[in-house]
PDB file of all heavy atoms in Angstrom:
ATOM      1  N   GLU Q  27     -11.456 -14.488  49.762  1.00 90.00           N
ATOM      2  CA  GLU Q  27     -10.574 -15.348  48.978  1.00 90.00           C
ATOM      3  C   GLU Q  27     -11.300 -16.376  48.124  1.00 90.00           C
ATOM      4  O   GLU Q  27     -10.819 -16.745  47.065  1.00 90.00           O
ATOM      5  CB  GLU Q  27      -9.594 -16.085  49.902  1.00 90.00           C
ATOM      6  CG  GLU Q  27      -8.492 -15.195  50.422  1.00 90.00           C
ATOM      7  CD  GLU Q  27      -7.434 -15.975  51.175  1.00 90.00           C
ATOM      8  OE1 GLU Q  27      -7.654 -17.154  51.511  1.00 90.00           O
ATOM      9  OE2 GLU Q  27      -6.374 -15.384  51.436  1.00 90.00           O
ATOM     10  N   MET Q  28     -12.440 -16.858  48.584  1.00 88.00           N
ATOM     11  CA  MET Q  28     -13.073 -17.949  47.846  1.00 88.00           C
ATOM     12  C   MET Q  28     -14.535 -17.740  47.522  1.00 88.00           C
ATOM     13  O   MET Q  28     -15.153 -18.584  46.887  1.00 88.00           O
ATOM     14  CB  MET Q  28     -12.865 -19.277  48.564  1.00 88.00           C
ATOM     15  CG  MET Q  28     -13.172 -19.225  50.024  1.00 88.00           C
ATOM     16  SD  MET Q  28     -12.808 -20.756  50.862  1.00 88.00           S
ATOM     17  CE  MET Q  28     -14.033 -21.809  50.222  1.00 88.00           C
ATOM     18  N   GLY Q  29     -15.100 -16.639  47.976  1.00 89.00           N
ATOM     19  CA  GLY Q  29     -16.480 -16.353  47.620  1.00 89.00           C
ATOM     20  C   GLY Q  29     -17.512 -17.090  48.457  1.00 89.00           C
ATOM     21  O   GLY Q  29     -18.702 -17.065  48.143  1.00 89.00           O
ATOM     22  N   LYS Q  30     -17.083 -17.732  49.519  1.00 91.00           N
ATOM     23  CA  LYS Q  30     -18.025 -18.434  50.402  1.00 91.00           C
ATOM     24  C   LYS Q  30     -18.892 -17.392  51.106  1.00 91.00           C
ATOM     25  O   LYS Q  30     -18.372 -16.366  51.559  1.00 91.00           O
ATOM     26  CB  LYS Q  30     -17.241 -19.259  51.430  1.00 91.00           C
ATOM     27  CG  LYS Q  30     -18.103 -20.103  52.341  1.00 91.00           C
ATOM     28  CD  LYS Q  30     -17.242 -20.932  53.277  1.00 91.00           C
ATOM     29  CE  LYS Q  30     -17.481 -22.378  52.985  1.00 91.00           C
ATOM     30  NZ  LYS Q  30     -16.767 -23.275  53.879  1.00 91.00           N
ATOM     31  N   PRO Q  31     -20.195 -17.627  51.186  1.00 94.00           N
ATOM     32  CA  PRO Q  31     -21.036 -16.664  51.918  1.00 94.00           C
ATOM     33  C   PRO Q  31     -20.515 -16.462  53.338  1.00 94.00           C
ATOM     34  O   PRO Q  31     -20.093 -17.415  53.996  1.00 94.00           O
ATOM     35  CB  PRO Q  31     -22.416 -17.329  51.920  1.00 94.00           C
ATOM     36  CG  PRO Q  31     -22.406 -18.212  50.708  1.00 94.00           C
ATOM     37  CD  PRO Q  31     -20.982 -18.708  50.607  1.00 94.00           C
ATOM     38  N   VAL Q  32     -20.537 -15.228  53.801  1.00 95.00           N
ATOM     39  CA  VAL Q  32     -19.946 -14.902  55.093  1.00 95.00           C
ATOM     40  C   VAL Q  32     -20.606 -15.689  56.220  1.00 95.00           C
ATOM     41  O   VAL Q  32     -19.933 -16.090  57.176  1.00 95.00           O
ATOM     42  CB  VAL Q  32     -19.950 -13.373  55.347  1.00 95.00           C
ATOM     43  CG1 VAL Q  32     -21.344 -12.848  55.634  1.00 95.00           C
ATOM     44  CG2 VAL Q  32     -18.969 -13.009  56.459  1.00 95.00           C
ATOM     45  N   SER Q  33     -21.901 -15.957  56.134  1.00 96.00           N
ATOM     46  CA  SER Q  33     -22.554 -16.728  57.198  1.00 96.00           C
ATOM     47  C   SER Q  33     -21.985 -18.149  57.261  1.00 96.00           C
ATOM     48  O   SER Q  33     -21.781 -18.703  58.347  1.00 96.00           O
ATOM     49  CB  SER Q  33     -24.068 -16.766  56.994  1.00 96.00           C
ATOM     50  OG  SER Q  33     -24.377 -17.401  55.759  1.00 96.00           O
ATOM     51  N   GLN Q  34     -21.699 -18.739  56.103  1.00 95.00           N
ATOM     52  CA  GLN Q  34     -21.094 -20.074  56.080  1.00 95.00           C
ATOM     53  C   GLN Q  34     -19.647 -20.026  56.575  1.00 95.00           C
ATOM     54  O   GLN Q  34     -19.182 -20.948  57.246  1.00 95.00           O
ATOM     55  CB  GLN Q  34     -21.145 -20.659  54.673  1.00 95.00           C
ATOM     56  CG  GLN Q  34     -22.536 -21.046  54.236  1.00 95.00           C
ATOM     57  CD  GLN Q  34     -22.535 -21.623  52.826  1.00 95.00           C
ATOM     58  OE1 GLN Q  34     -21.510 -22.040  52.303  1.00 95.00           O
ATOM     59  NE2 GLN Q  34     -23.717 -21.634  52.209  1.00 95.00           N
ATOM     60  N   ALA Q  35     -18.946 -18.965  56.248  1.00 95.00           N
ATOM     61  CA  ALA Q  35     -17.561 -18.811  56.709  1.00 95.00           C
ATOM     62  C   ALA Q  35     -17.519 -18.670  58.232  1.00 95.00           C
ATOM     63  O   ALA Q  35     -16.667 -19.269  58.897  1.00 95.00           O
ATOM     64  CB  ALA Q  35     -16.913 -17.612  56.030  1.00 95.00           C
ATOM     65  N   ARG Q  36     -18.455 -17.899  58.792  1.00 96.00           N
ATOM     66  CA  ARG Q  36     -18.538 -17.798  60.254  1.00 96.00           C
ATOM     67  C   ARG Q  36     -18.830 -19.164  60.861  1.00 96.00           C
ATOM     68  O   ARG Q  36     -18.243 -19.550  61.873  1.00 96.00           O
ATOM     69  CB  ARG Q  36     -19.650 -16.828  60.656  1.00 96.00           C
ATOM     70  CG  ARG Q  36     -19.336 -15.389  60.472  1.00 96.00           C
ATOM     71  CD  ARG Q  36     -20.498 -14.523  60.988  1.00 96.00           C
ATOM     72  NE  ARG Q  36     -20.308 -13.161  60.610  1.00 96.00           N
ATOM     73  CZ  ARG Q  36     -21.127 -12.459  59.820  1.00 96.00           C
ATOM     74  NH1 ARG Q  36     -22.227 -13.008  59.330  1.00 96.00           N
ATOM     75  NH2 ARG Q  36     -20.845 -11.211  59.530  1.00 96.00           N
ATOM     76  N   GLY Q  37     -19.749 -19.879  60.238  1.00 96.00           N
ATOM     77  CA  GLY Q  37     -20.099 -21.214  60.719  1.00 96.00           C
ATOM     78  C   GLY Q  37     -18.921 -22.163  60.678  1.00 96.00           C
ATOM     79  O   GLY Q  37     -18.751 -23.005  61.570  1.00 96.00           O
ATOM     80  N   GLU Q  38     -18.096 -22.049  59.656  1.00 95.00           N
ATOM     81  CA  GLU Q  38     -16.917 -22.913  59.547  1.00 95.00           C
ATOM     82  C   GLU Q  38     -15.935 -22.643  60.684  1.00 95.00           C
ATOM     83  O   GLU Q  38     -15.385 -23.582  61.279  1.00 95.00           O
ATOM     84  CB  GLU Q  38     -16.231 -22.706  58.207  1.00 95.00           C
ATOM     85  CG  GLU Q  38     -15.031 -23.591  58.028  1.00 95.00           C
ATOM     86  CD  GLU Q  38     -14.333 -23.419  56.696  1.00 95.00           C
ATOM     87  OE1 GLU Q  38     -14.937 -22.903  55.742  1.00 95.00           O
ATOM     88  OE2 GLU Q  38     -13.169 -23.822  56.616  1.00 95.00           O
ATOM     89  N   ALA Q  39     -15.715 -21.369  60.999  1.00 96.00           N
ATOM     90  CA  ALA Q  39     -14.810 -21.035  62.108  1.00 96.00           C
ATOM     91  C   ALA Q  39     -15.369 -21.576  63.419  1.00 96.00           C
ATOM     92  O   ALA Q  39     -14.627 -22.163  64.220  1.00 96.00           O
ATOM     93  CB  ALA Q  39     -14.602 -19.526  62.184  1.00 96.00           C
ATOM     94  N   GLU Q  40     -16.661 -21.430  63.645  1.00 97.00           N
ATOM     95  CA  GLU Q  40     -17.286 -21.930  64.870  1.00 97.00           C
ATOM     96  C   GLU Q  40     -17.252 -23.457  64.930  1.00 97.00           C
ATOM     97  O   GLU Q  40     -16.954 -24.050  65.963  1.00 97.00           O
ATOM     98  CB  GLU Q  40     -18.726 -21.422  64.991  1.00 97.00           C
ATOM     99  CG  GLU Q  40     -19.458 -21.940  66.206  1.00 97.00           C
ATOM    100  CD  GLU Q  40     -18.777 -21.623  67.537  1.00 97.00           C
ATOM    101  OE1 GLU Q  40     -18.127 -20.565  67.665  1.00 97.00           O
ATOM    102  OE2 GLU Q  40     -18.902 -22.445  68.467  1.00 97.00           O
ATOM    103  N   LYS Q  41     -17.556 -24.108  63.805  1.00 96.00           N
ATOM    104  CA  LYS Q  41     -17.520 -25.577  63.744  1.00 96.00           C
ATOM    105  C   LYS Q  41     -16.105 -26.086  64.060  1.00 96.00           C
ATOM    106  O   LYS Q  41     -15.936 -27.073  64.777  1.00 96.00           O
ATOM    107  CB  LYS Q  41     -17.958 -26.039  62.351  1.00 96.00           C
ATOM    108  CG  LYS Q  41     -17.928 -27.527  62.143  1.00 96.00           C
ATOM    109  CD  LYS Q  41     -18.375 -27.861  60.721  1.00 96.00           C
ATOM    110  CE  LYS Q  41     -18.316 -29.348  60.454  1.00 96.00           C
ATOM    111  NZ  LYS Q  41     -18.735 -29.711  59.105  1.00 96.00           N
ATOM    112  N   SER Q  42     -15.107 -25.403  63.550  1.00 96.00           N
ATOM    113  CA  SER Q  42     -13.721 -25.797  63.793  1.00 96.00           C
ATOM    114  C   SER Q  42     -13.358 -25.620  65.269  1.00 96.00           C
ATOM    115  O   SER Q  42     -12.683 -26.471  65.849  1.00 96.00           O
ATOM    116  CB  SER Q  42     -12.787 -24.995  62.900  1.00 96.00           C
ATOM    117  OG  SER Q  42     -13.079 -25.248  61.540  1.00 96.00           O
ATOM    118  N   ALA Q  43     -13.814 -24.534  65.872  1.00 97.00           N
ATOM    119  CA  ALA Q  43     -13.567 -24.306  67.300  1.00 97.00           C
ATOM    120  C   ALA Q  43     -14.247 -25.391  68.138  1.00 97.00           C
ATOM    121  O   ALA Q  43     -13.647 -25.936  69.070  1.00 97.00           O
ATOM    122  CB  ALA Q  43     -14.072 -22.920  67.712  1.00 97.00           C
ATOM    123  N   THR Q  44     -15.471 -25.726  67.779  1.00 97.00           N
ATOM    124  CA  THR Q  44     -16.205 -26.770  68.494  1.00 97.00           C
ATOM    125  C   THR Q  44     -15.489 -28.110  68.378  1.00 97.00           C
ATOM    126  O   THR Q  44     -15.402 -28.873  69.348  1.00 97.00           O
ATOM    127  CB  THR Q  44     -17.645 -26.872  67.953  1.00 97.00           C
ATOM    128  OG1 THR Q  44     -18.297 -25.610  68.156  1.00 97.00           O
ATOM    129  CG2 THR Q  44     -18.437 -27.965  68.642  1.00 97.00           C
ATOM    130  N   LEU Q  45     -14.946 -28.417  67.203  1.00 97.00           N
ATOM    131  CA  LEU Q  45     -14.218 -29.669  67.010  1.00 97.00           C
ATOM    132  C   LEU Q  45     -12.960 -29.714  67.886  1.00 97.00           C
ATOM    133  O   LEU Q  45     -12.662 -30.748  68.502  1.00 97.00           O
ATOM    134  CB  LEU Q  45     -13.837 -29.856  65.547  1.00 97.00           C
ATOM    135  CG  LEU Q  45     -13.116 -31.166  65.243  1.00 97.00           C
ATOM    136  CD1 LEU Q  45     -14.081 -32.343  65.335  1.00 97.00           C
ATOM    137  CD2 LEU Q  45     -12.482 -31.109  63.879  1.00 97.00           C
ATOM    138  N   CYS Q  46     -12.229 -28.615  67.957  1.00 97.00           N
ATOM    139  CA  CYS Q  46     -11.041 -28.565  68.819  1.00 97.00           C
ATOM    140  C   CYS Q  46     -11.428 -28.852  70.265  1.00 97.00           C
ATOM    141  O   CYS Q  46     -10.746 -29.626  70.954  1.00 97.00           O
ATOM    142  CB  CYS Q  46     -10.368 -27.197  68.718  1.00 97.00           C
ATOM    143  SG  CYS Q  46      -9.557 -26.892  67.145  1.00 97.00           S
ATOM    144  N   GLU Q  47     -12.506 -28.247  70.732  1.00 98.00           N
ATOM    145  CA  GLU Q  47     -12.957 -28.483  72.107  1.00 98.00           C
ATOM    146  C   GLU Q  47     -13.402 -29.930  72.310  1.00 98.00           C
ATOM    147  O   GLU Q  47     -13.136 -30.528  73.358  1.00 98.00           O
ATOM    148  CB  GLU Q  47     -14.093 -27.529  72.458  1.00 98.00           C
ATOM    149  CG  GLU Q  47     -13.637 -26.109  72.590  1.00 98.00           C
ATOM    150  CD  GLU Q  47     -14.758 -25.109  72.749  1.00 98.00           C
ATOM    151  OE1 GLU Q  47     -15.907 -25.403  72.356  1.00 98.00           O
ATOM    152  OE2 GLU Q  47     -14.470 -24.024  73.247  1.00 98.00           O
ATOM    153  N   TYR Q  48     -14.062 -30.494  71.311  1.00 98.00           N
ATOM    154  CA  TYR Q  48     -14.510 -31.883  71.393  1.00 98.00           C
ATOM    155  C   TYR Q  48     -13.318 -32.812  71.598  1.00 98.00           C
ATOM    156  O   TYR Q  48     -13.320 -33.664  72.495  1.00 98.00           O
ATOM    157  CB  TYR Q  48     -15.282 -32.274  70.126  1.00 98.00           C
ATOM    158  CG  TYR Q  48     -15.674 -33.730  70.108  1.00 98.00           C
ATOM    159  CD1 TYR Q  48     -16.848 -34.156  70.723  1.00 98.00           C
ATOM    160  CD2 TYR Q  48     -14.861 -34.680  69.503  1.00 98.00           C
ATOM    161  CE1 TYR Q  48     -17.202 -35.499  70.731  1.00 98.00           C
ATOM    162  CE2 TYR Q  48     -15.207 -36.020  69.505  1.00 98.00           C
ATOM    163  CZ  TYR Q  48     -16.379 -36.424  70.121  1.00 98.00           C
ATOM    164  OH  TYR Q  48     -16.716 -37.746  70.130  1.00 98.00           O
ATOM    165  N   TYR Q  49     -12.277 -32.663  70.772  1.00 96.00           N
ATOM    166  CA  TYR Q  49     -11.108 -33.524  70.900  1.00 96.00           C
ATOM    167  C   TYR Q  49     -10.354 -33.254  72.202  1.00 96.00           C
ATOM    168  O   TYR Q  49      -9.828 -34.179  72.814  1.00 96.00           O
ATOM    169  CB  TYR Q  49     -10.195 -33.409  69.689  1.00 96.00           C
ATOM    170  CG  TYR Q  49     -10.735 -34.186  68.518  1.00 96.00           C
ATOM    171  CD1 TYR Q  49     -11.066 -33.573  67.329  1.00 96.00           C
ATOM    172  CD2 TYR Q  49     -10.947 -35.558  68.625  1.00 96.00           C
ATOM    173  CE1 TYR Q  49     -11.585 -34.302  66.264  1.00 96.00           C
ATOM    174  CE2 TYR Q  49     -11.457 -36.293  67.564  1.00 96.00           C
ATOM    175  CZ  TYR Q  49     -11.775 -35.656  66.390  1.00 96.00           C
ATOM    176  OH  TYR Q  49     -12.289 -36.378  65.349  1.00 96.00           O
ATOM    177  N   ALA Q  50     -10.306 -32.006  72.644  1.00 97.00           N
ATOM    178  CA  ALA Q  50      -9.662 -31.710  73.927  1.00 97.00           C
ATOM    179  C   ALA Q  50     -10.397 -32.429  75.057  1.00 97.00           C
ATOM    180  O   ALA Q  50      -9.775 -32.962  75.977  1.00 97.00           O
ATOM    181  CB  ALA Q  50      -9.647 -30.202  74.172  1.00 97.00           C
ATOM    182  N   ARG Q  51     -11.699 -32.463  74.978  1.00 97.00           N
ATOM    183  CA  ARG Q  51     -12.522 -33.069  76.032  1.00 97.00           C
ATOM    184  C   ARG Q  51     -12.526 -34.603  75.970  1.00 97.00           C
ATOM    185  O   ARG Q  51     -12.549 -35.267  76.998  1.00 97.00           O
ATOM    186  CB  ARG Q  51     -13.955 -32.547  75.909  1.00 97.00           C
ATOM    187  CG  ARG Q  51     -14.843 -32.865  77.092  1.00 97.00           C
ATOM    188  CD  ARG Q  51     -16.227 -32.211  76.996  1.00 97.00           C
ATOM    189  NE  ARG Q  51     -16.160 -30.831  76.572  1.00 97.00           N
ATOM    190  CZ  ARG Q  51     -16.725 -30.335  75.447  1.00 97.00           C
ATOM    191  NH1 ARG Q  51     -17.417 -31.105  74.656  1.00 97.00           N
ATOM    192  NH2 ARG Q  51     -16.604 -29.072  75.133  1.00 97.00           N
ATOM    193  N   HIS Q  52     -12.514 -35.172  74.773  1.00 97.00           N
ATOM    194  CA  HIS Q  52     -12.757 -36.607  74.619  1.00 97.00           C
ATOM    195  C   HIS Q  52     -11.554 -37.434  74.153  1.00 97.00           C
ATOM    196  O   HIS Q  52     -11.693 -38.645  73.970  1.00 97.00           O
ATOM    197  CB  HIS Q  52     -13.916 -36.830  73.653  1.00 97.00           C
ATOM    198  CG  HIS Q  52     -15.205 -36.234  74.120  1.00 97.00           C
ATOM    199  ND1 HIS Q  52     -15.928 -36.752  75.164  1.00 97.00           N
ATOM    200  CD2 HIS Q  52     -15.884 -35.141  73.689  1.00 97.00           C
ATOM    201  CE1 HIS Q  52     -17.007 -36.014  75.359  1.00 97.00           C
ATOM    202  NE2 HIS Q  52     -17.001 -35.029  74.483  1.00 97.00           N
ATOM    203  N   ALA Q  53     -10.411 -36.822  73.963  1.00 94.00           N
ATOM    204  CA  ALA Q  53      -9.260 -37.550  73.404  1.00 94.00           C
ATOM    205  C   ALA Q  53      -8.864 -38.755  74.244  1.00 94.00           C
ATOM    206  O   ALA Q  53      -8.547 -39.815  73.699  1.00 94.00           O
ATOM    207  CB  ALA Q  53      -8.069 -36.614  73.226  1.00 94.00           C
ATOM    208  N   THR Q  54      -8.881 -38.618  75.556  1.00 92.00           N
ATOM    209  CA  THR Q  54      -8.453 -39.750  76.380  1.00 92.00           C
ATOM    210  C   THR Q  54      -9.388 -40.948  76.206  1.00 92.00           C
ATOM    211  O   THR Q  54      -8.937 -42.094  76.256  1.00 92.00           O
ATOM    212  CB  THR Q  54      -8.349 -39.372  77.871  1.00 92.00           C
ATOM    213  OG1 THR Q  54      -9.586 -38.810  78.300  1.00 92.00           O
ATOM    214  CG2 THR Q  54      -7.223 -38.381  78.108  1.00 92.00           C
ATOM    215  N   ARG Q  55     -10.664 -40.697  75.970  1.00 93.00           N
ATOM    216  CA  ARG Q  55     -11.601 -41.790  75.743  1.00 93.00           C
ATOM    217  C   ARG Q  55     -11.441 -42.350  74.329  1.00 93.00           C
ATOM    218  O   ARG Q  55     -11.367 -43.562  74.127  1.00 93.00           O
ATOM    219  CB  ARG Q  55     -13.044 -41.325  75.948  1.00 93.00           C
ATOM    220  CG  ARG Q  55     -14.089 -42.397  75.668  1.00 93.00           C
ATOM    221  CD  ARG Q  55     -15.515 -41.895  75.849  1.00 93.00           C
ATOM    222  NE  ARG Q  55     -15.821 -40.700  75.088  1.00 93.00           N
ATOM    223  CZ  ARG Q  55     -16.116 -40.678  73.791  1.00 93.00           C
ATOM    224  NH1 ARG Q  55     -16.136 -41.792  73.092  1.00 93.00           N
ATOM    225  NH2 ARG Q  55     -16.412 -39.539  73.178  1.00 93.00           N
ATOM    226  N   ILE Q  56     -11.357 -41.476  73.347  1.00 93.00           N
ATOM    227  CA  ILE Q  56     -11.290 -41.895  71.946  1.00 93.00           C
ATOM    228  C   ILE Q  56      -9.996 -42.644  71.646  1.00 93.00           C
ATOM    229  O   ILE Q  56      -9.992 -43.621  70.896  1.00 93.00           O
ATOM    230  CB  ILE Q  56     -11.415 -40.668  71.013  1.00 93.00           C
ATOM    231  CG1 ILE Q  56     -12.793 -40.031  71.151  1.00 93.00           C
ATOM    232  CG2 ILE Q  56     -11.156 -41.054  69.565  1.00 93.00           C
ATOM    233  CD1 ILE Q  56     -12.902 -38.661  70.488  1.00 93.00           C
ATOM    234  N   LEU Q  57      -8.892 -42.199  72.225  1.00 93.00           N
ATOM    235  CA  LEU Q  57      -7.574 -42.734  71.877  1.00 93.00           C
ATOM    236  C   LEU Q  57      -7.001 -43.716  72.891  1.00 93.00           C
ATOM    237  O   LEU Q  57      -5.840 -44.100  72.769  1.00 93.00           O
ATOM    238  CB  LEU Q  57      -6.591 -41.572  71.664  1.00 93.00           C
ATOM    239  CG  LEU Q  57      -6.946 -40.616  70.525  1.00 93.00           C
ATOM    240  CD1 LEU Q  57      -5.981 -39.448  70.489  1.00 93.00           C
ATOM    241  CD2 LEU Q  57      -6.979 -41.343  69.192  1.00 93.00           C
ATOM    242  N   ARG Q  58      -7.798 -44.125  73.849  1.00 91.00           N
ATOM    243  CA  ARG Q  58      -7.246 -45.084  74.825  1.00 91.00           C
ATOM    244  C   ARG Q  58      -7.006 -46.434  74.151  1.00 91.00           C
ATOM    245  O   ARG Q  58      -7.726 -46.840  73.242  1.00 91.00           O
ATOM    246  CB  ARG Q  58      -8.141 -45.202  76.041  1.00 91.00           C
ATOM    247  CG  ARG Q  58      -9.386 -46.009  75.822  1.00 91.00           C
ATOM    248  CD  ARG Q  58     -10.137 -46.223  77.137  1.00 91.00           C
ATOM    249  NE  ARG Q  58     -11.465 -46.684  76.836  1.00 91.00           N
ATOM    250  CZ  ARG Q  58     -12.579 -45.978  76.997  1.00 91.00           C
ATOM    251  NH1 ARG Q  58     -12.521 -44.762  77.499  1.00 91.00           N
ATOM    252  NH2 ARG Q  58     -13.748 -46.478  76.663  1.00 91.00           N
ATOM    253  N   SER Q  59      -5.976 -47.102  74.624  1.00 91.00           N
ATOM    254  CA  SER Q  59      -5.656 -48.433  74.104  1.00 91.00           C
ATOM    255  C   SER Q  59      -6.769 -49.393  74.494  1.00 91.00           C
ATOM    256  O   SER Q  59      -7.438 -49.217  75.510  1.00 91.00           O
ATOM    257  CB  SER Q  59      -4.324 -48.918  74.677  1.00 91.00           C
ATOM    258  OG  SER Q  59      -3.288 -48.086  74.233  1.00 91.00           O
ATOM    259  N   GLU Q  60      -6.939 -50.425  73.688  1.00 92.00           N
ATOM    260  CA  GLU Q  60      -7.990 -51.399  73.982  1.00 92.00           C
ATOM    261  C   GLU Q  60      -7.575 -52.777  73.484  1.00 92.00           C
ATOM    262  O   GLU Q  60      -6.727 -52.912  72.615  1.00 92.00           O
ATOM    263  CB  GLU Q  60      -9.310 -50.978  73.345  1.00 92.00           C
ATOM    264  CG  GLU Q  60      -9.219 -50.792  71.832  1.00 92.00           C
ATOM    265  CD  GLU Q  60     -10.489 -50.229  71.223  1.00 92.00           C
ATOM    266  OE1 GLU Q  60     -11.386 -51.027  70.906  1.00 92.00           O
ATOM    267  OE2 GLU Q  60     -10.554 -48.993  71.078  1.00 92.00           O
ATOM    268  N   THR Q  61      -8.186 -53.778  74.070  1.00 92.00           N
ATOM    269  CA  THR Q  61      -8.024 -55.149  73.615  1.00 92.00           C
ATOM    270  C   THR Q  61      -9.285 -55.496  72.834  1.00 92.00           C
ATOM    271  O   THR Q  61     -10.383 -55.455  73.396  1.00 92.00           O
ATOM    272  CB  THR Q  61      -7.862 -56.116  74.797  1.00 92.00           C
ATOM    273  OG1 THR Q  61      -6.707 -55.730  75.540  1.00 92.00           O
ATOM    274  CG2 THR Q  61      -7.712 -57.552  74.329  1.00 92.00           C
ATOM    275  N   PRO Q  62      -9.159 -55.799  71.553  1.00 91.00           N
ATOM    276  CA  PRO Q  62     -10.353 -56.121  70.761  1.00 91.00           C
ATOM    277  C   PRO Q  62     -11.064 -57.360  71.308  1.00 91.00           C
ATOM    278  O   PRO Q  62     -10.423 -58.308  71.769  1.00 91.00           O
ATOM    279  CB  PRO Q  62      -9.790 -56.389  69.365  1.00 91.00           C
ATOM    280  CG  PRO Q  62      -8.437 -55.760  69.350  1.00 91.00           C
ATOM    281  CD  PRO Q  62      -7.943 -55.823  70.769  1.00 91.00           C
ATOM    282  N   GLU Q  63     -12.368 -57.324  71.260  1.00 93.00           N
ATOM    283  CA  GLU Q  63     -13.163 -58.455  71.729  1.00 93.00           C
ATOM    284  C   GLU Q  63     -12.793 -59.712  70.941  1.00 93.00           C
ATOM    285  O   GLU Q  63     -12.684 -59.688  69.718  1.00 93.00           O
ATOM    286  CB  GLU Q  63     -14.651 -58.146  71.538  1.00 93.00           C
ATOM    287  CG  GLU Q  63     -15.561 -59.161  72.198  1.00 93.00           C
ATOM    288  CD  GLU Q  63     -17.021 -58.774  72.075  1.00 93.00           C
ATOM    289  OE1 GLU Q  63     -17.333 -57.578  72.191  1.00 93.00           O
ATOM    290  OE2 GLU Q  63     -17.829 -59.687  71.855  1.00 93.00           O
ATOM    291  N   GLY Q  64     -12.556 -60.792  71.667  1.00 94.00           N
ATOM    292  CA  GLY Q  64     -12.223 -62.064  71.035  1.00 94.00           C
ATOM    293  C   GLY Q  64     -10.754 -62.218  70.691  1.00 94.00           C
ATOM    294  O   GLY Q  64     -10.319 -63.282  70.253  1.00 94.00           O
ATOM    295  N   ALA Q  65      -9.966 -61.168  70.888  1.00 92.00           N
ATOM    296  CA  ALA Q  65      -8.537 -61.239  70.573  1.00 92.00           C
ATOM    297  C   ALA Q  65      -7.790 -61.821  71.770  1.00 92.00           C
ATOM    298  O   ALA Q  65      -8.280 -61.785  72.899  1.00 92.00           O
ATOM    299  CB  ALA Q  65      -8.002 -59.848  70.248  1.00 92.00           C
ATOM    300  N   PRO Q  66      -6.595 -62.347  71.542  1.00 93.00           N
ATOM    301  CA  PRO Q  66      -5.786 -62.837  72.672  1.00 93.00           C
ATOM    302  C   PRO Q  66      -5.511 -61.695  73.659  1.00 93.00           C
ATOM    303  O   PRO Q  66      -5.510 -60.518  73.294  1.00 93.00           O
ATOM    304  CB  PRO Q  66      -4.481 -63.290  72.015  1.00 93.00           C
ATOM    305  CG  PRO Q  66      -4.782 -63.418  70.568  1.00 93.00           C
ATOM    306  CD  PRO Q  66      -5.927 -62.514  70.258  1.00 93.00           C
TER     307      PRO Q  66
END
């Protein structure tokens, strides 16, 4: 569809899969509520 080299296209699919796993693993840490330092 876009002329991207197949090796880069494979890499994009793998990178996207890795990102999904990263957020599945780390979402509770990344998105936990917090009180900013120095705030009430």
Side-chain angles (χ1 to χ4, degrees):
E27 285 188 347
M28 48 184 290
K30 184 177 243 184
V32 72
S33 61
Q34 289 180 18
R36 285 183 190 118
E38 181 179 340
E40 178 57 33
K41 178 180 178 180
S42 299
T44 300
L45 182 72
C46 289
E47 290 172 338
Y48 175 86
Y49 282 119
R51 192 174 316 119
H52 299 288
T54 54
R55 177 181 54 80
I56 295 168
L57 298 175
R58 76 173 165 251
S59 296
E60 57 186 274
T61 300
E63 189 176 321

